[in-house]
Amino acid sequence: MSEGMTGAQALLATLAGAGVEVVFANPGTSEMHFVAALEADPRVRGVLGLAEGAVTGAADGYARITGTPGVTLLHLGPGLGNGLANLHNARRAHSPVVNVVGDHATYHKQYDAPLESDIDAVAATLGPVVRSTTPADVGKDAAAAVAAAQNAPGGVATLILPADASWSDGGAPARPITPARPTPSSTVDDVASVCRSGEPAVILLGGDACREPALRAASRISEALGVRLFVETFPARLERGAGLPAVERLGYVPEQAEQQLSGARHIVVAGAKPPTTFFAYPGKRGDLVPSGAELHTLAAPGQDVTAALEELADLVAPGAEPALAPAHRPELPTGELLVATWPDVIGALLPENAIVVDETNTSGLLLAAATAGAPRHDVLSLTGGAIGQGIPVATGAAVAAPERPVINLQADGSAMYTITALWTQAREGLNVTTVILNNRAYAILRMELQRTGAGDVDPTKTGLFDLSTPDIDFTRIAEGMGVPASVATTAEELADSFRRALAEPGPNLVDARIPPLL
Amino acid sequence: MSEGMTGAQALLATLAGAGVEVVFANPGTSEMHFVAALEADPRVRGVLGLAEGAVTGAADGYARITGTPGVTLLHLGPGLGNGLANLHNARRAHSPVVNVVGDHATYHKQYDAPLESDIDAVAATLGPVVRSTTPADVGKDAAAAVAAAQNAPGGVATLILPADASWSDGGAPARPITPARPTPSSTVDDVASVCRSGEPAVILLGGDACREPALRAASRISEALGVRLFVETFPARLERGAGLPAVERLGYVPEQAEQQLSGARHIVVAGAKPPTTFFAYPGKRGDLVPSGAELHTLAAPGQDVTAALEELADLVAPGAEPALAPAHRPELPTGELLVATWPDVIGALLPENAIVVDETNTSGLLLAAATAGAPRHDVLSLTGGAIGQGIPVATGAAVAAPERPVINLQADGSAMYTITALWTQAREGLNVTTVILNNRAYAILRMELQRTGAGDVDPTKTGLFDLSTPDIDFTRIAEGMGVPASVATTAEELADSFRRALAEPGPNLVDARIPPLL
């Protein structure tokens, strides 16, 4: 098998041996031998994206759902660059993502050919970088990159693959390397004392603590001792809905988060980072730990937060039961589609076992409340704040779980960064329903302009936040990429469109016209 | 004026003082005070792009046409990342481009907030980086960045602007700094000896040598001494057409370039880099200087190539006249639209004084011949090989020269990376006619798969090169962004659509369906 194997073939064999089944790809000339090896290997499937932001976001979505590496194939430095924003989100999500980035042949780099650039420097901003120099290295380098991406808590690793290391003979597949597992917490007893102290305490849940086992343990603690619970503002994957503990997310707007945490004497982070504001604002604190409160770390990212919470619950709440959200759906609203009404349509109709990709920004303020009692679902959120994540992440999630309905609730401005991922949804026949919350504005920037106190400018008149000249017709854009689409201007129309989209196989898009919050 | 001026206001005043009239922007929260200052300053106009690749490509196109800095406004590291591919092309074009990249407030960086990333490392791969730390620094840092971008031969410079340096008082505008001018050539006499030697010689023209004065001087030399001339494969801006010297571009396919340079004893580079292949191929040389030939540098990028060629011409060809292309247009073709026929439609109908943005890839093999005798025009080409340049560069060129018709000849696959730049064309009412050469494939990759000899895979059956499942309907996508569009399947239809597009104000798109070369 390895006789006469090229570096590219060794790479494919190594990836397949590590359980990789999908490569999200936007290849170029320097990756031709990888493409040929991919076409020839029935164990691994290539999924084409028309731009790298679609590819990297899909790898992130795939990794969030499967827990296994999302693999990309990118074309040199510019390909990596185009994919950087969604790799940033993947890094913040602790998604195991492995980039295979083609490079010029080793002996060609001396010429500073047009596509030459410093791939290593850009990739190093994301995480570990391995550069193969010979075909014999490729297999073991690939195994190292896959393990690096999976080392707890997970992250982005990059394998740079020079064309000659890819096309030359001498490759050998390498066995998977066992990644570093989460380390145990050493502070359970200390945190137990805090919880038992009777002083007001908050546990902030993040990472794996947003999944059912940890949520149940946290809820037991809360029920027994009155400790308040919050989930980090932008969880990578939050399990919620009827039958699961309902835990509110910490607000994006600093005043809201301050309100949520006010009065706490202790802030315990469990899989989350210490709470801070997303941005700085003139004259405001960035640290959200209330003045005078103590910060405790039950488990930092990379520590086994589920075990720590379960151990903690057994210590301080041995007999307690978690508080589970009752099944409850809102009434289907009627009339004009508003920020206050559209979420109820989703809450009323959300199918069983859905994956909800939430890039609603300002339009989604009431979404969590509307779906709290809906059937159990996963929410994938905008972990790194780099907008343009939703359509690609939904695409990758649907590749990962073809049997689950994927609902992408998507702000209009954010959608346009990576709109071409719709084409991949059509090509692959993915069960994604995209609802564009189309308010014809960067509404969040209108809000932020006010919040930052930037001068006497009227945010509703600021041209750079306006998306209505011209209006974007998302139905035409979607249809142009093979995705059936419709417009909804009332709650009834959204309900009809949403039901129909769920009933039909393959992707669908609903352009839901709502007024901006601001 | 500078009393109570913020850093952002000082930045705007410094840019305006340096002659900057346009900022291509995709802002976020950390750039709110820059946005407010921009709205308040009538000297500088903000042009919104819906994704950063559109913004950076537009800045490049603007810089290529005006010769003055194209300025971008980008949102932290992910914004810069999304714009990186077209900044790579701008770097290769030696376009003076200044990125203003917002960052978190200096005191907020300690929190490693979600959008935190290593902006400096990514920006440093492009060129000089200046990071302001106080409002007092911003003006002089901006002046330094503008000068750095303009230092001969021009390039990409980045100013990183922390939010607090932007919003705080204490800013002061700075005067423009005179950038480094091109240095004189010291090899004119040596190259004169080469030209006079009678041995076969080639002059390879690049950079400013692709503009009329240098082309005329080179043509005189060629006419007097039989020296062969070529233009670099991907010039940033090539002036050509009737009444100008007609100089062939060096081919992208190595065998073609080898053929063009074969027999030369001397290769003289004049504003270009030494000729090499774009990619490495197994068993092929990357260096295109023929074996046994000598390489001479008349002027490297950053040297005054126009003065050097004029001095050389005066030395070796004092009485010679340049050979100018006669006015000549092809007949309008009829029937099926083919790689061999569509360029004649453009050659027959190209308007006076057009800017032609050429990202035709395989479909454009015969374009140069078809337009050689058309009215004088500028060609902007894919300098850095990072596809997805055409629509944004055309957008920026049209902002730079609203009185000139801009023709974007655009491969379908490449178009999709930055398709949202069409919206900016509609918003700004730009006179851009986009002709999509829609062959429903990454045809160049089919060719490259064969050329790289990657296994027994049939390139026409390789799924990753196929853009026909589903077909992309560019007319719907364009209309969805406010750009009128039509389909052309015959030469007659392309001629009709092209004429109509030129006659109407504002942008237009023609989806020209052609079979792939492979």
Side-chain angles (χ1 to χ4, degrees):
Chain A
M1 172 71 184
S2 73
E3 202 182 316
M5 187 176 265
T6 63
Q9 289 163 336
L11 173 51
L12 256 296
T14 302
L15 294 175
V20 171
E21 296 174 2
V22 177
V23 172
F24 297 93
N26 188 261
T29 298
S30 37
E31 294 81 41
M32 284 299 103
H33 288 74
F34 185 98
V35 169
L38 183 62
E39 292 278 322
D41 194 324
R43 294 171 295 178
V44 186
R45 162 182 165 211
V47 173
L48 179 61
L50 295 183
E52 293 85 351
V55 166
T56 56
D60 182 12
Y62 181 91
R64 290 196 206 182
I65 294 302
T66 63
T68 66
V71 178
T72 71
L73 177 65
L74 303 171
H75 185 45
L76 295 108
L80 177 64
N82 277 337
L84 206 60
N86 273 334
L87 290 171
H88 171 86
N89 288 323
R91 175 170 76 92
R92 291 302 187 182
H94 295 298
S95 296
V97 169
V98 178
N99 301 310
V100 178
V101 182
D103 195 6
H104 285 305
T106 52
Y107 59 85
H108 198 70
K109 293 184 75 71
Q110 62 183 312
Y111 300 125
D112 190 36
L115 272 165
E116 178 71 28
S117 70
D118 192 343
I119 302 171
D120 305 70
V122 173
T125 67
L126 296 164
V129 181
V130 191
R131 172 182 279 279
S132 294
T133 51
T134 72
D137 290 337
V138 175
K140 65 183 175 53
D141 289 348
V146 170
Q150 291 180 294
N151 284 340
V156 178
T158 301
L159 172 69
I160 301 176
L161 183 65
D164 52 341
S166 177
W167 74 48
S168 302
D169 281 338
R175 295 196 182 176
I177 298 169
T178 304
R181 305 306 311 153
T183 55
S185 167
S186 59
T187 57
V188 175
D189 290 338
D190 297 341
V191 174
S193 304
V194 168
C195 292
R196 287 173 177 137
S197 69
E199 296 184 328
V202 163
I203 302 181
L204 181 62
L205 304 165
D208 284 347
C210 303
R211 310 288 290 274
E212 183 175 8
L215 288 170
R216 293 179 71 96
S219 182
R220 288 167 58 202
I221 300 162
S222 177
E223 289 299 301
L225 299 172
V227 172
R228 280 180 286 158
L229 303 178
F230 293 100
V231 164
E232 59 188 346
T233 309
F234 291 106
R237 179 177 177 178
L238 173 62
E239 296 182 358
R240 68 193 297 273
L244 286 169
V247 183
E248 209 178 316
R249 282 158 67 177
L250 198 67
Y252 166 83
V253 176
E255 288 76 4
Q256 185 196 354
E258 282 169 3
Q259 181 65 34
Q260 289 170 310
L261 300 178
S262 71
R265 273 283 296 125
H266 302 278
I267 304 283
V268 178
V269 289
K273 294 203 301 185
T276 63
T277 61
F278 206 87
F279 292 106
Y281 299 94
K284 305 263 184 193
R285 290 180 69 211
D287 186 353
L288 286 172
V289 177
S291 300
E294 277 178 60
L295 179 71
H296 311 269
T297 299
L298 176 66
Q303 291 189 292
D304 190 341
V305 67
T306 306
L309 281 165
E310 288 178 339
E311 189 184 340
L312 181 63
D314 290 344
L315 273 177
V316 304
E321 290 294 320
L324 305 179
H328 171 78
R329 288 183 183 271
E331 299 269 304
L332 265 177
T334 57
E336 199 186 350
L337 218 40
L338 299 167
V339 169
T341 59
W342 77 262
D344 282 353
V345 177
I346 308 301
L349 300 177
L350 193 72
E352 300 279 337
N353 202 27
I355 297 168
V356 176
V357 177
D358 175 5
E359 191 168 355
T360 51
N361 307 345
T362 53
S363 296
L365 285 183
L366 302 174
L367 177 65
T371 54
R376 179 190 174 116
H377 57 280
D378 288 302
V379 173
L380 313 186
S381 85
L382 184 59
T383 48
I387 56 175
Q389 170 188 283
I391 305 176
V393 162
T395 302
V399 170
E403 74 290 356
R404 298 180 65 182
V406 178
I407 316 296
N408 175 202
L409 305 174
Q410 182 61 52
D412 55 339
S414 301
M416 291 302 282
Y417 291 81
T418 48
I419 190 79
T420 62
L422 290 174
W423 183 83
T424 302
Q425 294 180 8
R427 180 181 181 86
E428 301 286 334
L430 302 175
N431 260 325
V432 181
T433 299
T434 303
V435 179
I436 301 285
L437 289 319
N438 186 354
N439 60 19
R440 307 159 74 217
Y442 289 129
I444 196 164
L445 296 186
R446 291 184 178 168
M447 184 180 86
E448 295 286 16
L449 184 75
Q450 285 195 324
R451 291 189 40 75
T452 54
D456 304 324
V457 181
D458 179 347
T460 65
K461 296 205 170 67
T462 299
L464 291 178
F465 308 155
D466 165 60
L467 301 179
S468 72
T469 46
D471 273 332
I472 300 170
D473 184 338
F474 283 94
T475 63
R476 290 206 185 191
I477 293 173
E479 289 165 358
M481 291 188 268
V483 173
S486 57
V487 171
T489 59
T490 65
E492 291 88 337
E493 287 172 357
L494 177 58
D496 284 350
S497 289
F498 192 66
R499 277 199 198 95
R500 198 167 49 243
L502 292 172
E504 288 172 5
N508 207 298
L509 180 141
V510 186
D511 181 356
R513 308 275 172 86
I514 59 170
L517 195 66
L518 192 76
Chain B
M1 171 72 184
S2 74
E3 201 181 318
M5 187 177 266
T6 63
Q9 289 163 335
L11 173 51
L12 256 296
T14 302
L15 293 175
V20 172
E21 296 174 1
V22 177
V23 172
F24 297 93
N26 187 262
T29 299
S30 37
E31 294 80 41
M32 284 299 104
H33 289 74
F34 185 98
V35 170
L38 182 62
E39 293 277 323
D41 194 323
R43 295 170 294 177
V44 186
R45 162 182 165 212
V47 173
L48 179 61
L50 295 183
E52 292 85 351
V55 166
T56 57
D60 181 13
Y62 181 90
R64 290 196 205 183
I65 294 302
T66 63
T68 67
V71 178
T72 71
L73 178 65
L74 303 171
H75 185 45
L76 296 108
L80 178 63
N82 276 337
L84 207 58
N86 274 334
L87 291 170
H88 171 86
N89 288 323
R91 175 171 74 93
R92 291 302 187 182
H94 296 297
S95 296
V97 169
V98 178
N99 301 311
V100 178
V101 182
D103 195 6
H104 285 305
T106 52
Y107 58 85
H108 198 69
K109 292 184 76 70
Q110 63 183 312
Y111 302 125
D112 190 36
L115 272 164
E116 179 71 27
S117 71
D118 192 343
I119 303 172
D120 306 70
V122 174
T125 67
L126 295 165
V129 180
V130 190
R131 172 182 279 280
S132 294
T133 50
T134 72
D137 290 338
V138 174
K140 65 183 174 55
D141 288 347
V146 170
Q150 291 181 294
N151 285 339
V156 178
T158 302
L159 173 69
I160 301 175
L161 183 65
D164 53 341
S166 177
W167 75 47
S168 302
D169 282 338
R175 294 197 182 175
I177 298 169
T178 305
R181 305 307 310 155
T183 55
S185 167
S186 59
T187 57
V188 176
D189 290 339
D190 297 341
V191 174
S193 303
V194 168
C195 294
R196 288 175 177 137
S197 70
E199 295 184 327
V202 162
I203 302 180
L204 181 62
L205 304 166
D208 284 346
C210 303
R211 311 287 291 274
E212 182 174 9
L215 288 170
R216 293 180 70 96
S219 182
R220 288 167 57 202
I221 299 162
S222 176
E223 289 299 300
L225 299 172
V227 172
R228 279 180 288 159
L229 303 177
F230 293 100
V231 165
E232 59 187 347
T233 310
F234 291 106
R237 179 178 177 177
L238 172 62
E239 295 182 358
R240 67 192 297 273
L244 286 169
V247 182
E248 210 178 315
R249 281 158 66 178
L250 198 67
Y252 166 82
V253 176
E255 288 77 3
Q256 185 196 353
E258 282 168 4
Q259 181 64 34
Q260 289 170 312
L261 301 178
S262 71
R265 275 283 298 126
H266 302 278
I267 304 284
V268 177
V269 289
K273 293 203 302 184
T276 63
T277 62
F278 206 85
F279 292 107
Y281 299 94
K284 305 264 184 192
R285 290 181 69 210
D287 186 352
L288 286 173
V289 177
S291 301
E294 276 180 61
L295 179 70
H296 311 269
T297 299
L298 176 66
Q303 291 189 291
D304 190 339
V305 67
T306 306
L309 281 166
E310 288 178 337
E311 189 184 340
L312 182 64
D314 289 346
L315 273 178
V316 303
E321 290 294 320
L324 305 179
H328 171 78
R329 287 183 183 271
E331 298 270 303
L332 265 176
T334 58
E336 199 186 351
L337 218 42
L338 300 166
V339 170
T341 60
W342 78 262
D344 282 352
V345 177
I346 308 301
L349 300 178
L350 193 73
E352 300 278 339
N353 202 26
I355 297 169
V356 177
V357 178
D358 175 5
E359 192 169 356
T360 50
N361 307 345
T362 54
S363 296
L365 286 183
L366 302 174
L367 177 65
T371 54
R376 181 190 173 117
H377 58 279
D378 287 303
V379 173
L380 313 187
S381 84
L382 184 58
T383 47
I387 56 176
Q389 170 189 284
I391 305 177
V393 162
T395 303
V399 170
E403 74 291 357
R404 298 181 64 182
V406 177
I407 316 296
N408 176 202
L409 305 173
Q410 181 61 52
D412 55 339
S414 301
M416 291 302 282
Y417 291 80
T418 48
I419 191 78
T420 61
L422 290 174
W423 183 83
T424 302
Q425 294 179 8
R427 181 181 181 85
E428 301 287 333
L430 302 176
N431 259 325
V432 181
T433 299
T434 303
V435 180
I436 302 285
L437 288 319
N438 186 354
N439 60 19
R440 308 158 73 217
Y442 289 129
I444 197 165
L445 296 186
R446 292 184 177 168
M447 184 180 86
E448 296 284 17
L449 184 74
Q450 286 196 322
R451 290 189 39 76
T452 54
D456 303 324
V457 181
D458 179 347
T460 65
K461 297 205 169 66
T462 301
L464 291 178
F465 307 156
D466 165 59
L467 301 179
S468 72
T469 46
D471 274 332
I472 300 169
D473 184 338
F474 283 94
T475 63
R476 290 204 186 190
I477 294 174
E479 288 165 1
M481 290 187 269
V483 173
S486 57
V487 170
T489 58
T490 64
E492 291 88 338
E493 287 172 358
L494 177 57
D496 284 351
S497 289
F498 192 66
R499 276 199 198 95
R500 198 167 50 242
L502 293 173
E504 289 171 6
N508 206 297
L509 180 141
V510 186
D511 181 354
R513 308 275 172 88
I514 59 170
L517 195 66
L518 191 76

